[in-house]
mmCIF file of all heavy atoms in Angstrom:
data_model
loop_
_atom_site.group_PDB
_atom_site.id
_atom_site.type_symbol
_atom_site.label_atom_id
_atom_site.label_comp_id
_atom_site.label_asym_id
_atom_site.label_seq_id
_atom_site.Cartn_x
_atom_site.Cartn_y
_atom_site.Cartn_z
ATOM 1 N N ALA A 1 48.071 -23.590 0.214
ATOM 2 C CA ALA A 1 47.962 -24.674 1.166
ATOM 3 C C ALA A 1 46.731 -24.513 2.097
ATOM 4 O O ALA A 1 46.165 -25.501 2.541
ATOM 5 C CB ALA A 1 49.219 -24.735 2.022
ATOM 6 N N ASP A 2 46.324 -23.294 2.306
ATOM 7 C CA ASP A 2 45.171 -23.077 3.232
ATOM 8 C C ASP A 2 43.837 -23.048 2.514
ATOM 9 O O ASP A 2 42.811 -22.819 3.114
ATOM 10 C CB ASP A 2 45.372 -21.752 4.016
ATOM 11 C CG ASP A 2 45.427 -20.546 3.100
ATOM 12 O OD1 ASP A 2 45.643 -20.720 1.869
ATOM 13 O OD2 ASP A 2 45.284 -19.414 3.605
ATOM 14 N N GLN A 3 43.810 -23.318 1.204
ATOM 15 C CA GLN A 3 42.566 -23.272 0.441
ATOM 16 C C GLN A 3 41.834 -24.607 0.582
ATOM 17 O O GLN A 3 42.356 -25.645 0.236
ATOM 18 C CB GLN A 3 42.882 -22.987 -1.028
ATOM 19 C CG GLN A 3 41.667 -22.685 -1.856
ATOM 20 C CD GLN A 3 42.066 -22.312 -3.273
ATOM 21 O OE1 GLN A 3 43.075 -22.753 -3.789
ATOM 22 N NE2 GLN A 3 41.285 -21.496 -3.897
ATOM 23 N N ASP A 4 40.626 -24.561 1.128
ATOM 24 C CA ASP A 4 39.823 -25.743 1.318
ATOM 25 C C ASP A 4 39.282 -26.207 -0.038
ATOM 26 O O ASP A 4 38.946 -25.416 -0.888
ATOM 27 C CB ASP A 4 38.663 -25.420 2.260
ATOM 28 C CG ASP A 4 37.822 -26.612 2.628
ATOM 29 O OD1 ASP A 4 38.311 -27.758 2.438
ATOM 30 O OD2 ASP A 4 36.710 -26.435 3.081
ATOM 31 N N GLU A 5 39.226 -27.533 -0.221
ATOM 32 C CA GLU A 5 38.745 -28.084 -1.500
ATOM 33 C C GLU A 5 37.356 -27.608 -1.830
ATOM 34 O O GLU A 5 37.039 -27.354 -2.981
ATOM 35 C CB GLU A 5 38.798 -29.605 -1.394
ATOM 36 C CG GLU A 5 39.010 -30.256 -2.746
ATOM 37 C CD GLU A 5 39.253 -31.744 -2.592
ATOM 38 O OE1 GLU A 5 40.189 -32.140 -1.884
ATOM 39 O OE2 GLU A 5 38.483 -32.491 -3.227
ATOM 40 N N GLU A 6 36.518 -27.416 -0.843
ATOM 41 C CA GLU A 6 35.146 -26.965 -1.101
ATOM 42 C C GLU A 6 35.102 -25.482 -1.542
ATOM 43 O O GLU A 6 34.152 -25.045 -2.123
ATOM 44 C CB GLU A 6 34.289 -27.145 0.161
ATOM 45 C CG GLU A 6 34.010 -28.584 0.481
ATOM 46 C CD GLU A 6 33.175 -28.740 1.728
ATOM 47 O OE1 GLU A 6 32.461 -27.816 2.075
ATOM 48 O OE2 GLU A 6 33.252 -29.825 2.349
ATOM 49 N N GLU A 7 36.148 -24.768 -1.255
ATOM 50 C CA GLU A 7 36.234 -23.350 -1.630
ATOM 51 C C GLU A 7 37.074 -23.191 -2.870
ATOM 52 O O GLU A 7 37.614 -22.106 -3.119
ATOM 53 C CB GLU A 7 36.804 -22.536 -0.459
ATOM 54 C CG GLU A 7 35.940 -22.549 0.750
ATOM 55 C CD GLU A 7 36.618 -21.841 1.908
ATOM 56 O OE1 GLU A 7 37.602 -21.161 1.720
ATOM 57 O OE2 GLU A 7 36.128 -22.010 3.044
ATOM 58 N N PHE A 8 37.247 -24.256 -3.644
ATOM 59 C CA PHE A 8 38.147 -24.221 -4.791
ATOM 60 C C PHE A 8 37.731 -23.147 -5.751
ATOM 61 O O PHE A 8 36.570 -23.039 -6.146
ATOM 62 C CB PHE A 8 38.139 -25.589 -5.494
ATOM 63 C CG PHE A 8 39.030 -25.637 -6.677
ATOM 64 C CD1 PHE A 8 40.408 -25.497 -6.534
ATOM 65 C CD2 PHE A 8 38.516 -25.822 -7.923
ATOM 66 C CE1 PHE A 8 41.234 -25.552 -7.608
ATOM 67 C CE2 PHE A 8 39.343 -25.877 -9.013
ATOM 68 C CZ PHE A 8 40.686 -25.724 -8.856
ATOM 69 N N GLY A 9 38.652 -22.333 -6.124
ATOM 70 C CA GLY A 9 38.363 -21.228 -6.998
ATOM 71 C C GLY A 9 37.983 -20.021 -6.161
ATOM 72 O O GLY A 9 37.361 -20.143 -5.125
ATOM 73 N N ARG A 10 38.405 -18.863 -6.606
ATOM 74 C CA ARG A 10 38.081 -17.632 -5.894
ATOM 75 C C ARG A 10 37.180 -16.762 -6.775
ATOM 76 O O ARG A 10 37.497 -16.460 -7.909
ATOM 77 C CB ARG A 10 39.380 -16.883 -5.575
ATOM 78 C CG ARG A 10 39.155 -15.615 -4.784
ATOM 79 C CD ARG A 10 40.403 -15.077 -4.189
ATOM 80 N NE ARG A 10 41.469 -14.864 -5.151
ATOM 81 C CZ ARG A 10 41.806 -13.678 -5.671
ATOM 82 N NH1 ARG A 10 41.143 -12.594 -5.328
ATOM 83 N NH2 ARG A 10 42.785 -13.578 -6.517
ATOM 84 N N LEU A 11 36.025 -16.425 -6.235
ATOM 85 C CA LEU A 11 35.099 -15.561 -6.942
ATOM 86 C C LEU A 11 35.746 -14.191 -7.070
ATOM 87 O O LEU A 11 36.121 -13.562 -6.082
ATOM 88 C CB LEU A 11 33.766 -15.436 -6.192
ATOM 89 C CG LEU A 11 32.718 -14.530 -6.799
ATOM 90 C CD1 LEU A 11 32.299 -14.998 -8.178
ATOM 91 C CD2 LEU A 11 31.528 -14.410 -5.874
ATOM 92 N N VAL A 12 35.880 -13.728 -8.306
ATOM 93 C CA VAL A 12 36.528 -12.457 -8.599
ATOM 94 C C VAL A 12 35.523 -11.365 -8.759
ATOM 95 O O VAL A 12 35.699 -10.250 -8.238
ATOM 96 C CB VAL A 12 37.444 -12.578 -9.852
ATOM 97 C CG1 VAL A 12 38.081 -11.251 -10.170
ATOM 98 C CG2 VAL A 12 38.458 -13.650 -9.681
ATOM 99 N N VAL A 13 34.454 -11.647 -9.487
ATOM 100 C CA VAL A 13 33.473 -10.621 -9.801
ATOM 101 C C VAL A 13 32.169 -11.273 -10.217
ATOM 102 O O VAL A 13 32.168 -12.429 -10.688
ATOM 103 C CB VAL A 13 33.985 -9.640 -10.867
ATOM 104 C CG1 VAL A 13 34.101 -10.328 -12.205
ATOM 105 C CG2 VAL A 13 33.165 -8.381 -10.966
ATOM 106 N N THR A 14 31.096 -10.556 -10.059
ATOM 107 C CA THR A 14 29.768 -11.003 -10.539
ATOM 108 C C THR A 14 29.311 -9.938 -11.542
ATOM 109 O O THR A 14 29.445 -8.740 -11.268
ATOM 110 C CB THR A 14 28.784 -11.141 -9.395
ATOM 111 O OG1 THR A 14 29.279 -12.104 -8.483
ATOM 112 C CG2 THR A 14 27.420 -11.576 -9.882
ATOM 113 N N ALA A 15 28.748 -10.374 -12.638
ATOM 114 C CA ALA A 15 28.265 -9.441 -13.671
ATOM 115 C C ALA A 15 26.857 -9.822 -14.098
ATOM 116 O O ALA A 15 26.431 -10.964 -13.937
ATOM 117 C CB ALA A 15 29.192 -9.466 -14.882
ATOM 118 N N GLU A 16 26.117 -8.869 -14.624
ATOM 119 C CA GLU A 16 24.738 -9.082 -15.002
ATOM 120 C C GLU A 16 24.546 -9.812 -16.325
ATOM 121 O O GLU A 16 23.550 -10.477 -16.497
ATOM 122 C CB GLU A 16 24.001 -7.750 -15.068
ATOM 123 C CG GLU A 16 23.849 -7.100 -13.706
ATOM 124 C CD GLU A 16 23.038 -5.793 -13.798
ATOM 125 O OE1 GLU A 16 22.470 -5.504 -14.840
ATOM 126 O OE2 GLU A 16 23.007 -5.076 -12.785
ATOM 127 N N ASP A 17 25.521 -9.707 -17.222
ATOM 128 C CA ASP A 17 25.373 -10.391 -18.512
ATOM 129 C C ASP A 17 26.739 -10.972 -18.934
ATOM 130 O O ASP A 17 27.777 -10.587 -18.397
ATOM 131 C CB ASP A 17 24.802 -9.423 -19.567
ATOM 132 C CG ASP A 17 25.705 -8.234 -19.822
ATOM 133 O OD1 ASP A 17 26.836 -8.430 -20.284
ATOM 134 O OD2 ASP A 17 25.236 -7.107 -19.580
ATOM 135 N N PRO A 18 26.727 -11.842 -19.927
ATOM 136 C CA PRO A 18 27.970 -12.523 -20.330
ATOM 137 C C PRO A 18 29.042 -11.569 -20.847
ATOM 138 O O PRO A 18 30.223 -11.736 -20.576
ATOM 139 C CB PRO A 18 27.556 -13.509 -21.390
ATOM 140 C CG PRO A 18 26.137 -13.290 -21.663
ATOM 141 C CD PRO A 18 25.571 -12.366 -20.630
ATOM 142 N N SER A 19 28.614 -10.562 -21.559
ATOM 143 C CA SER A 19 29.612 -9.607 -22.132
ATOM 144 C C SER A 19 30.353 -8.870 -21.014
ATOM 145 O O SER A 19 31.582 -8.736 -21.049
ATOM 146 C CB SER A 19 28.897 -8.599 -23.031
ATOM 147 O OG SER A 19 29.785 -7.655 -23.509
ATOM 148 N N ASN A 20 29.596 -8.381 -20.003
ATOM 149 C CA ASN A 20 30.230 -7.728 -18.873
ATOM 150 C C ASN A 20 31.111 -8.686 -18.072
ATOM 151 O O ASN A 20 32.160 -8.289 -17.551
ATOM 152 C CB ASN A 20 29.173 -7.119 -17.959
ATOM 153 C CG ASN A 20 28.554 -5.882 -18.569
ATOM 154 O OD1 ASN A 20 29.029 -5.293 -19.541
ATOM 155 N ND2 ASN A 20 27.408 -5.490 -18.035
ATOM 156 N N ALA A 21 30.715 -9.966 -17.984
ATOM 157 C CA ALA A 21 31.521 -10.966 -17.258
ATOM 158 C C ALA A 21 32.846 -11.174 -17.991
ATOM 159 O O ALA A 21 33.897 -11.220 -17.310
ATOM 160 C CB ALA A 21 30.753 -12.267 -17.169
ATOM 161 N N LEU A 22 32.817 -11.243 -19.293
ATOM 162 C CA LEU A 22 34.068 -11.436 -20.037
ATOM 163 C C LEU A 22 34.976 -10.225 -19.925
ATOM 164 O O LEU A 22 36.209 -10.338 -19.778
ATOM 165 C CB LEU A 22 33.800 -11.735 -21.518
ATOM 166 C CG LEU A 22 33.068 -13.058 -21.771
ATOM 167 C CD1 LEU A 22 32.765 -13.224 -23.254
ATOM 168 C CD2 LEU A 22 33.878 -14.229 -21.236
ATOM 169 N N THR A 23 34.399 -9.012 -19.944
ATOM 170 C CA THR A 23 35.183 -7.793 -19.765
ATOM 171 C C THR A 23 35.782 -7.754 -18.373
ATOM 172 O O THR A 23 36.946 -7.415 -18.195
ATOM 173 C CB THR A 23 34.289 -6.568 -20.007
ATOM 174 O OG1 THR A 23 33.825 -6.591 -21.376
ATOM 175 C CG2 THR A 23 35.057 -5.270 -19.786
ATOM 176 N N ALA A 24 34.994 -8.123 -17.385
ATOM 177 C CA ALA A 24 35.494 -8.127 -16.004
ATOM 178 C C ALA A 24 36.616 -9.169 -15.833
ATOM 179 O O ALA A 24 37.591 -8.923 -15.115
ATOM 180 C CB ALA A 24 34.357 -8.417 -15.020
ATOM 181 N N ALA A 25 36.459 -10.329 -16.477
ATOM 182 C CA ALA A 25 37.488 -11.365 -16.434
ATOM 183 C C ALA A 25 38.790 -10.844 -17.039
ATOM 184 O O ALA A 25 39.871 -11.071 -16.507
ATOM 185 C CB ALA A 25 37.032 -12.610 -17.110
ATOM 186 N N LYS A 26 38.670 -10.123 -18.130
ATOM 187 C CA LYS A 26 39.879 -9.534 -18.782
ATOM 188 C C LYS A 26 40.557 -8.596 -17.823
ATOM 189 O O LYS A 26 41.774 -8.646 -17.642
ATOM 190 C CB LYS A 26 39.470 -8.865 -20.081
ATOM 191 C CG LYS A 26 40.630 -8.190 -20.751
ATOM 192 C CD LYS A 26 40.193 -7.482 -22.004
ATOM 193 C CE LYS A 26 41.388 -6.725 -22.620
ATOM 194 N NZ LYS A 26 40.996 -5.878 -23.715
ATOM 195 N N GLU A 27 39.778 -7.725 -17.224
ATOM 196 C CA GLU A 27 40.337 -6.686 -16.316
ATOM 197 C C GLU A 27 40.946 -7.339 -15.057
ATOM 198 O O GLU A 27 42.008 -6.900 -14.592
ATOM 199 C CB GLU A 27 39.282 -5.684 -15.945
ATOM 200 C CG GLU A 27 38.853 -4.795 -17.117
ATOM 201 C CD GLU A 27 37.655 -3.954 -16.819
ATOM 202 O OE1 GLU A 27 37.143 -3.968 -15.703
ATOM 203 O OE2 GLU A 27 37.197 -3.238 -17.763
ATOM 204 N N ALA A 28 40.328 -8.322 -14.507
ATOM 205 C CA ALA A 28 40.749 -8.925 -13.253
ATOM 206 C C ALA A 28 41.852 -9.937 -13.388
ATOM 207 O O ALA A 28 42.674 -10.093 -12.463
ATOM 208 C CB ALA A 28 39.557 -9.539 -12.534
ATOM 209 N N THR A 29 41.893 -10.659 -14.502
ATOM 210 C CA THR A 29 42.839 -11.772 -14.611
ATOM 211 C C THR A 29 43.776 -11.674 -15.784
ATOM 212 O O THR A 29 44.688 -12.501 -15.906
ATOM 213 C CB THR A 29 42.083 -13.115 -14.738
ATOM 214 O OG1 THR A 29 41.428 -13.159 -16.015
ATOM 215 C CG2 THR A 29 41.078 -13.299 -13.605
ATOM 216 N N GLY A 30 43.547 -10.755 -16.697
ATOM 217 C CA GLY A 30 44.379 -10.668 -17.891
ATOM 218 C C GLY A 30 43.891 -11.586 -19.013
ATOM 219 O O GLY A 30 44.613 -11.792 -20.005
ATOM 220 N N ALA A 31 42.719 -12.186 -18.865
ATOM 221 C CA ALA A 31 42.193 -13.075 -19.905
ATOM 222 C C ALA A 31 42.145 -12.366 -21.226
ATOM 223 O O ALA A 31 41.861 -11.164 -21.286
ATOM 224 C CB ALA A 31 40.812 -13.584 -19.502
ATOM 225 N N VAL A 32 42.399 -13.097 -22.290
ATOM 226 C CA VAL A 32 42.474 -12.527 -23.630
ATOM 227 C C VAL A 32 41.171 -12.881 -24.363
ATOM 228 O O VAL A 32 40.759 -14.046 -24.393
ATOM 229 C CB VAL A 32 43.673 -13.126 -24.393
ATOM 230 C CG1 VAL A 32 43.744 -12.617 -25.808
ATOM 231 C CG2 VAL A 32 44.969 -12.799 -23.659
ATOM 232 N N PRO A 33 40.479 -11.870 -24.960
ATOM 233 C CA PRO A 33 39.185 -12.109 -25.556
ATOM 234 C C PRO A 33 39.111 -13.291 -26.567
ATOM 235 O O PRO A 33 38.166 -14.045 -26.518
ATOM 236 C CB PRO A 33 38.855 -10.776 -26.258
ATOM 237 C CG PRO A 33 39.596 -9.782 -25.432
ATOM 238 C CD PRO A 33 40.867 -10.452 -24.985
ATOM 239 N N GLY A 34 40.061 -13.483 -27.379
ATOM 240 C CA GLY A 34 39.976 -14.536 -28.402
ATOM 241 C C GLY A 34 40.408 -15.903 -27.969
ATOM 242 O O GLY A 34 40.444 -16.830 -28.766
ATOM 243 N N ARG A 35 40.669 -16.103 -26.679
ATOM 244 C CA ARG A 35 41.230 -17.376 -26.208
ATOM 245 C C ARG A 35 40.276 -18.182 -25.339
ATOM 246 O O ARG A 35 40.658 -19.170 -24.717
ATOM 247 C CB ARG A 35 42.537 -17.119 -25.473
ATOM 248 C CG ARG A 35 43.574 -16.469 -26.375
ATOM 249 C CD ARG A 35 44.878 -16.390 -25.658
ATOM 250 N NE ARG A 35 45.354 -17.742 -25.465
ATOM 251 C CZ ARG A 35 46.330 -18.302 -26.199
ATOM 252 N NH1 ARG A 35 46.893 -17.638 -27.152
ATOM 253 N NH2 ARG A 35 46.735 -19.527 -25.950
ATOM 254 N N TRP A 36 39.029 -17.788 -25.234
ATOM 255 C CA TRP A 36 38.052 -18.522 -24.420
ATOM 256 C C TRP A 36 37.737 -19.871 -25.049
ATOM 257 O O TRP A 36 37.675 -19.979 -26.267
ATOM 258 C CB TRP A 36 36.782 -17.693 -24.252
ATOM 259 C CG TRP A 36 36.979 -16.513 -23.365
ATOM 260 C CD1 TRP A 36 37.167 -15.236 -23.758
ATOM 261 C CD2 TRP A 36 37.025 -16.514 -21.962
ATOM 262 N NE1 TRP A 36 37.350 -14.406 -22.658
ATOM 263 C CE2 TRP A 36 37.259 -15.160 -21.536
ATOM 264 C CE3 TRP A 36 36.898 -17.496 -20.964
ATOM 265 C CZ2 TRP A 36 37.352 -14.806 -20.187
ATOM 266 C CZ3 TRP A 36 36.984 -17.134 -19.653
ATOM 267 C CH2 TRP A 36 37.202 -15.798 -19.267
#
């Protein structure tokens, strides 16, 4: 309820390359590699 529309989405991590970003997404959110 307190999330402003302009702040939609929460930055979880920043990575230098796409591979590291996908790995970080898996670690932070439970994302599954074959489901992107």
Side-chain angles (χ1 to χ4, degrees):
D2 62 344
Q3 190 176 30
D4 186 19
E5 209 171 303
E6 291 179 24
E7 296 175 13
F8 181 64
R10 182 167 54 101
L11 178 62
V12 178
V13 69
T14 301
E16 292 182 10
D17 62 62
S19 177
N20 288 343
L22 295 177
T23 299
K26 177 182 176 187
E27 292 170 2
T29 69
V32 178
R35 300 187 65 104
W36 289 100

